[in-house]
Amino acid sequence: RVAAVDYVAPSPAGTAWGLGGTCVNVGCIPKKLMHQAALHGEALRDAAAFGWPAVRHPHAWATLCQNVQGYIVGLNAGYEAELEEAGVDYYNARGAFGAPHELELTAPDQDAQTVTARYFVLAMGGRPAYPDIPGATEHGITSDDIFQLPEDPGDVLVVGGSYVALECAGFLRGLGHNVAVMVR
């Protein structure tokens, strides 16, 4: 018998997600969709040089985010259906070890329950960390939050030089935003 326990606490900005992990929900997949949107915009701007009529429409951030999230929700549902089809019990809950061979499961608005197993396989993901500076959580968001941001972000300061930071800066610039990257 196999079970999957998957729970992600919402970020300080309220971002939560479904089954599929970081890549599916707030990483590879939404980033690639955002990059694709940026490439479409660049192609539209270049089209006039190739004989296409110039098209000047403002980018609709809310539409992009809604469609990206719709795609991801479809992936989440597909993964859950595949688990069910394979006979895997799925728990959208937080797990904590109790007695030997026991995992205590807790989820918002649900009674706690215990599952038992001879072996547990642990595969934890991580979340971006806010810097320890005043106002960081009140005025900033993380890369987890950018894909569900309900309003166009406007000018953006990306703090950090990681590949995730630079990928976000790249698609935001491609979508027409003024972007600055700050690294130490």
Side-chain angles (χ1 to χ4, degrees):
R1 195 166 156 217
V2 177
V5 178
D6 179 65
Y7 180 79
V8 177
S11 72
T15 299
W17 64 75
L19 184 62
T22 301
C23 179
V24 170
N25 292 284
V26 294
C28 311
I29 302 299
K31 181 214 24 121
K32 287 176 183 170
L33 294 171
M34 295 285 201
H35 271 287
Q36 190 63 38
L39 291 172
H40 284 303
E42 290 173 3
L44 286 172
R45 289 187 291 275
D46 293 343
F50 295 94
W52 291 96
V55 178
R56 301 279 185 228
H57 295 290
H59 180 262
W61 177 267
T63 300
L64 172 61
C65 287
Q66 180 180 359
N67 291 336
V68 166
Q69 288 309 306
Y71 183 80
I72 291 167
V73 165
L75 292 175
N76 300 147
Y79 296 142
E80 193 165 347
E82 288 175 17
L83 288 176
E84 185 177 330
E85 188 177 298
V88 175
D89 295 328
Y90 170 60
Y91 300 95
N92 184 6
R94 183 181 302 239
F97 287 107
H101 304 286
E102 290 185 356
L103 190 64
E104 306 291 329
L105 304 179
T106 56
D109 304 322
Q110 294 180 14
D111 292 334
Q113 64 185 104
T114 302
V115 295
T116 60
R118 184 171 182 182
Y119 300 106
F120 294 92
V121 177
L122 305 178
M124 277 82 73
R127 296 292 292 264
Y130 282 88
D132 187 20
I133 57 174
T137 57
E138 296 84 7
H139 304 294
I141 62 170
T142 69
S143 56
D144 284 1
D145 305 308
I146 192 74
F147 305 113
Q148 295 184 30
L149 198 61
E151 297 173 2
D152 188 294
D155 294 346
V156 179
L157 170 64
V158 176
V159 179
S162 70
Y163 78 93
V164 173
L166 298 178
E167 287 175 330
C168 289
F171 73 68
L172 288 165
R173 181 67 197 117
L175 292 170
H177 296 280
N178 291 320
V179 178
V181 177
M182 184 174 77
V183 295
R184 57 183 164 123

